[in-house]
Amino acid sequence: MSEQPIALVTGAAQGIGLACAKSLMEEGYRVVLSDINADGVLKAAEGLGALAGLTCDMGDLDQVNAMIDQVEADFGPISALVNNAGIAMPGDFLTYELEAFDKVLGVNLRGVFVAMQRVANTMVNNGIEGAIVNMSSINAQVAIPSIPAYCATKGGVMQLTKAAALALAKHNIRVNAVGPGSINTEMMAGVNANPEAMKMVISRTPLQRVGEAREIGDVVAFLCSKKASYVTGETIYVDGGRLGMNYTC
């Protein structure tokens, strides 16, 4: 078996997840990608030269555990976990359906907990001083009324990250989160095509541009590396300065 550590990245068929996988490979990890998009994750894994591209719905607890079982059986214990998979499901607050709220909660928060707990047990049982990075958002701190469940779960991820970091510190397992701002991914395609919407985004971003997925991936790779050996329980916001702004231009 190769001595290179294994990283698992969820929601990695495209965008931020795929960028995280690329950055981790450059950091020396062998990487497994997972995503609910079966064809997309296979294509992404092949294009990247990753170990595998596995299909998994992070809202289905049995699928999460089975996917991690498969990674361990085929490649060995996981040294780095990146919980990137997430959904938003926008809607009007007054008519927002509980079914949608529960679905977002299941993927964005419960699935994160299940994966963290499962991988942390593997790390402890194998004496691995590993790293876990969860994908939060600036919406852990600021809210958008049309995505109430998303905002709630990203705030929950921030706190879950702190709780896990405290619980796992005695095992030298570090747990951190990253909170992206406006990032140039497929999810921003509609904004990119709308000059007025883009103007609004830029007006609240001091660096006067949207971020690139690679800029998130590089921060994730840093947090998984020995360079971040004394960092745990933190959420690092990669937002071009937006959260520090108390007005718009």
Side-chain angles (χ1 to χ4, degrees):
M1 183 179 294
S2 171
E3 294 183 357
Q4 284 182 292
I6 294 169
L8 170 63
V9 183
T10 70
Q14 60 184 8
I16 288 175
L18 183 56
C20 290
K22 291 178 181 177
S23 294
L24 285 167
M25 289 181 68
E26 292 173 5
E27 193 64 33
Y29 283 92
R30 295 186 296 153
V31 179
V32 177
L33 283 58
S34 80
D35 201 282
I36 197 171
N37 179 350
D39 292 337
V41 75
L42 279 174
K43 184 177 179 180
E46 291 171 359
L48 195 59
L51 288 175
L54 305 179
T55 306
C56 181
D57 177 356
M58 292 300 293
D60 185 318
L61 308 189
D62 290 336
Q63 287 191 38
V64 175
N65 284 314
M67 182 260 296
I68 295 171
D69 286 345
Q70 183 177 347
V71 173
E72 292 178 353
D74 292 348
F75 308 110
I78 295 165
S79 295
L81 168 67
V82 180
N83 272 312
N84 171 71
I87 57 176
M89 299 190 72
D92 182 83
F93 185 87
L94 291 176
T95 57
Y96 202 84
E97 296 185 359
L98 188 58
E99 181 181 358
F101 193 96
D102 287 344
K103 185 171 183 177
V104 175
L105 187 72
V107 174
N108 293 11
L109 191 57
R110 187 177 60 177
V112 168
F113 172 74
V114 170
M116 273 206 298
Q117 186 184 60
R118 175 67 178 77
V119 170
N121 272 290
T122 290
M123 291 176 177
V124 171
N125 292 337
N126 287 274
I128 295 172
E129 296 181 356
I132 298 171
V133 180
N134 300 318
M135 201 59 64
S136 184
S137 167
I138 59 170
N139 292 123
Q141 300 281 354
V142 294
I144 298 174
S146 62
I147 49 172
Y150 181 86
C151 294
T153 57
K154 293 307 181 179
V157 166
M158 178 182 66
Q159 287 296 92
L160 185 58
T161 295
K162 292 179 182 179
L166 296 174
L168 299 174
K170 63 183 178 182
H171 301 289
N172 288 319
I173 297 169
R174 297 179 300 101
V175 187
N176 292 289
V178 173
S182 297
I183 306 299
N184 187 24
T185 64
E186 291 80 359
M187 290 182 68
M188 272 201 70
V191 174
N192 290 340
N194 185 331
E196 287 302 313
M198 181 58 71
K199 183 179 179 180
M200 182 176 294
V201 168
I202 298 304
S203 75
R204 62 194 184 199
T205 307
L207 284 184
Q208 294 290 290
R209 66 175 178 85
V210 297
E212 297 297 329
R214 176 58 181 262
E215 292 175 297
I216 305 300
D218 285 346
V219 173
V220 168
F222 162 72
L223 290 171
C224 290
S225 76
K226 297 299 183 183
K227 296 174 184 177
S229 57
Y230 201 52
V231 181
T232 195
E234 298 295 328
T235 297
I236 298 179
Y237 292 99
V238 187
D239 66 352
R242 179 177 172 185
L243 285 181
M245 204 174 194
N246 66 355
Y247 65 94
T248 56
C249 300

